[in-house]
Amino acid sequence: MPPVPLLELDGIDLSFGGVRAIANVSFTVEKAAICAVIGPNGAGKSSLINVISGLYRPARGVIRFDGKSYARLTPAMASRIGVARTFQNIALFKAMTVLDNIIMGRAGKARAGAVEDALGLPRSRRDEQVNREKAEEIIEFLDLEAIRHVAAGTLPYGVQKRVELGRALIAQPRLLLLDEPMAGMTFSEKREMCRFILDANATLGATVILIEHDIGVVMDLSQHIVVLDYGEKIGDGTPDEIRSNRRVIEAYLGAETPQAA
Amino acid sequence: MIYRQAGFLTADYRTERRWVPHAVDRWALTAFLAFAALAVPVIGNDYLFGAILLPFLALSLAAIGLNILTGYAGQLSLGTTAFMAVGAYAAYNLNLRIPGLPLLASIVLAGIIAALFGILFGLPSLRLKGFYLAVSTLAAQFFVEWALNKIGWFSNNNSSGVITAPPMAILGIAVDSPARKYLLSLGIVAVLTLVAIRLTRSQTGRNWIAIRDREVAAASLGVPVFRVKLVAFAISSFYCGIAGVLWAFTYLGTVEPDGFNLSRSFEVLFIIILGGLGSIRGCFLGAAVMVVFPLLLSRFANAFFATALDPGIQEDIENILFGSLIVLFLVKQPLGLVRLWDQFKRRLETWPLSE
Amino acid sequence: MDWQFALEVLIGGLLSGVMYSLVAIGFVLVYKSSGVLNFAQGAMVLFAALTFVSLVERGVPFALSLAITLAIMIAIGFAIEHAVLRPLVSQSPMTLFMATLGVSYVLEGSAQLIWGAEVHNLDLGISDEPLTLSGIDVSTFDLFAAAIAAAMVVGLILFFNWTRIGLAFRAAANDELAALAVGLRLERIGGVVWAAAGVVALIAGLLWGARTGVQFSLSLTVLKALPVLILGGFDSIAGAIVGGLLVGATEKLAEVFIGPMFGGGIESWFAYAAAMLLLLIRPSGLFGQKLIDRV
Ligand SMILES: Nc1ncnc2c1ncn2[C@@H]1O[C@H](COP(=O)(O)OP(=O)(O)O)[C@@H](O)[C@H]1O
Ligand SMILES: [Mg+2]
């Protein structure tokens, strides 16, 4: 029997008014894989990630996570079963420090309630101590030591993206969803981000779904690529398969420059 | 040079998370509290307690309550005094109907009743956001005013809904003089302030800020958004309720439902805007301005025109000045007085080494 | 039940609902153009009515008083936009709302400081003889107010559909970036919209003032308008009218038929309770469409 895949999407459909953002999309992501989702702007990539993280509710379709089916996934549920994500338009808590932002990644794991927090009871203190230790590991992993007490909203764009990755990683997710983590970055920032993603995948054991426009990066990082166009899946396979997929070449890469990929 | 950031480095997380990180600040705060608790009751006169310190303490506490809900959790409330009224009338009734209930117990219970009431009016936050939710807090405001006026039971059948503070005592010591009422208020406000600081620095506080700054992101990090909002409503109302008790029992002595009207709710909102949204210290700075400013204005008018201002005119001038201050702060210093204070302190820290 | 009486109450309610709509329309204008919930609209109503009535009482001719007040309200509209809203552009809706709350205090304080706090009678020269239509009494004044409101709405529609600045406003309300891209001067539009809100406040102030006397409570018309806006949506003029009628009618019916059960006085919160109930069923109001937050 083949191993159970971490994520299976089965016939997902999602519309906004008249716009069909996702049209009957199904695919599978194996455990410990890095899977890239590509496609032109408006293809439905972000919507797909929003569905997997429970923010959008699909009209039809089933999400299977580690063998269990979910017809109505909520954000809280998604976080509980081990899904963490970053956002295309950075969604950090601007007024909080980098440290607090990263600690927020463990919000779903808090054991103390408000009364315990108010009175500073042992469980609250222990939460706080553990949070801080884990956050410090992430800060070290992502080279954020120098800015841990700086308000996140004041940081440069590229650094904010890194902080957001940290906030997702601290939850030790089984599935990490990255929505254009390298958009707008310089070449060296991109290289750094690639290293972080590969490390997270290899040492922290997170399965990764990555949306990225830089085809070079996609081909280097991922073992598996899914191509969307106008909400439909038009390609699904290894980088080599995608490179030679006629529909993908026509729709996405542009018919005249297949080798540009 | 006595006040130097460079000397402040921490070796462990516990030290870093101290409430007042600087040793100098810590000393200053301790000395200040000792002065407030030991010296002020001796040297203060009835005017100081009755006209300044008692309303100041009650308003500061109400402001902390509102700041938790609006400044930290980002849920705009226009019904602060509804929750204060619930607290005041609850304490009055607890005292009246349960003979022998200790004063502090009735105050805490009144806070809890206000908290339950807050949860009730926070329930719409499951589906409503922003202005829509603010309007629901307005509904609370009008409903409470109406109910306290119309339903005689709440005021022991007083025809105009007026209640009068019962004789108060703690452990057999009568709380009857202004100085003793001041000490009672000070004690309650000090303890609740420390609790509030603790809360805002804990995961509960981070969750509040998170849903204020980016609710969607908070939700997908596993923050139970609705529960966090309800907790904010409950704790905020708890604070406002107890502030209402202090307002009625220690400051005014006798209150009517109309004393808890919409203008007073706005007054508390102004306190947190002036003091600083999302800052506990700011509540005290804002409340100080709110209490002292009108007094100064009338003193000034007395000195200047050699007669007392007509109270209506005084109020008009106050409204114009407060309204302008609000706009000025929102435009120029949205982080409020507390930010100005911190900037001043930073100057001191680095002086004279930098500009 | 006495149907004739019920009908009379209903019509009275609908007509007083028109008065609510008048205030609500002022809100909608500003909200639509800039996303600001302008709490100062009520204070503007007070300021306008008080200025007008004080001028008339000092012997200034009716028409001249109207012209002066109109000019003042337009100036105030521009001034608020320029001094308060423009520096706060791109701030959160909550901040903007709080700023307008500050503005309302300034306006209320100045109105009463300049003109005094007495109650003034305002006579617009419209008789308030009840008109009897097939056995049902209707207030002539209310009919007049409804006619003015209708004229004002027609005026606004013409303004927005036929004048350059009106079209620019609609473009900006639809898509600010696109409007900028084709070279519309958004600041000018903002000023004009606030001035228009000032004019609407004047009309509302005259009608309300003639009905209830010119006094501080005019400022509280803002509290009547909020449930109307909740029902009708913050950004629809049609919604403001329907919402106003709805609130006026249910409020009067409830006051007459349900109120006595509670000892009266329920109109202070009834409209709010009704609006809340509706919101719990339809979170985006009667006409709003359901939007899903983009992420
Ligand atoms: N919250 C939303 N409301 C309305 N339409 C949306 C929303 N989110 C996405 N869409 C629409 O769905 C389509 C897919 O968008 P998106 O998933 O963001 O594409 P991509 O990330 O591939 O660029 C687009 O037409 C977009 O306008
Ligand atoms: Mg996208």
Side-chain angles (χ1 to χ4, degrees), chain A residues 40-94:
Chain A
N41 276 325
K45 307 181 296 295
S46 296
S47 299
L48 193 67
I49 283 207
N50 291 339
V51 165
I52 301 171
S53 55
L55 290 174
Y56 289 173
R57 177 172 300 161
R60 248 186 311 282
V62 177
I63 300 165
R64 255 187 301 281
F65 191 85
D66 203 11
K68 271 216 190 91
S69 296
Y70 299 87
R72 286 193 151 192
L73 195 65
T74 64
M77 241 196 286
S79 137
R80 204 160 41 238
I81 60 179
V83 179
R85 63 169 294 168
T86 65
F87 294 80
Q88 180 171 358
N89 306 304
I90 301 171
L92 286 173
F93 310 113
K94 290 202 169 76

Side-chain angles (χ1 to χ4, degrees), chain B residues 256-312:
Chain B
E256 50 175 352
D258 294 346
F260 296 104
N261 60 12
L262 185 60
S263 323
R264 180 130 296 125
S265 288
F266 286 158
E267 209 172 289
V268 183
L269 183 61
F270 286 179
I271 289 177
I272 68 170
I273 297 173
L274 289 180
L277 290 163
S279 155
I280 300 292
R281 283 176 302 155
C283 298
F284 291 93
L285 296 177
V289 172
M290 186 59 74
V291 170
V292 173
F293 189 79
L295 298 175
L296 286 181
L297 187 66
S298 74
R299 283 271 162 104
F300 176 78
N302 269 337
F304 206 72
F305 302 114
T307 75
L309 273 183
D310 172 78

Side-chain angles (χ1 to χ4, degrees), chain A residues 91 96 117 128 132 136 149, chain B residues 13 16 204 206 213-214:
Chain A
M96 281 191 208
D117 279 347
E128 211 51 60
R132 184 58 197 271
E136 224 35 68
H149 292 304
Chain B
Y13 301 149
E16 192 187 76
T204 301
R206 275 191 296 265
D213 281 0
R214 273 302 178 108

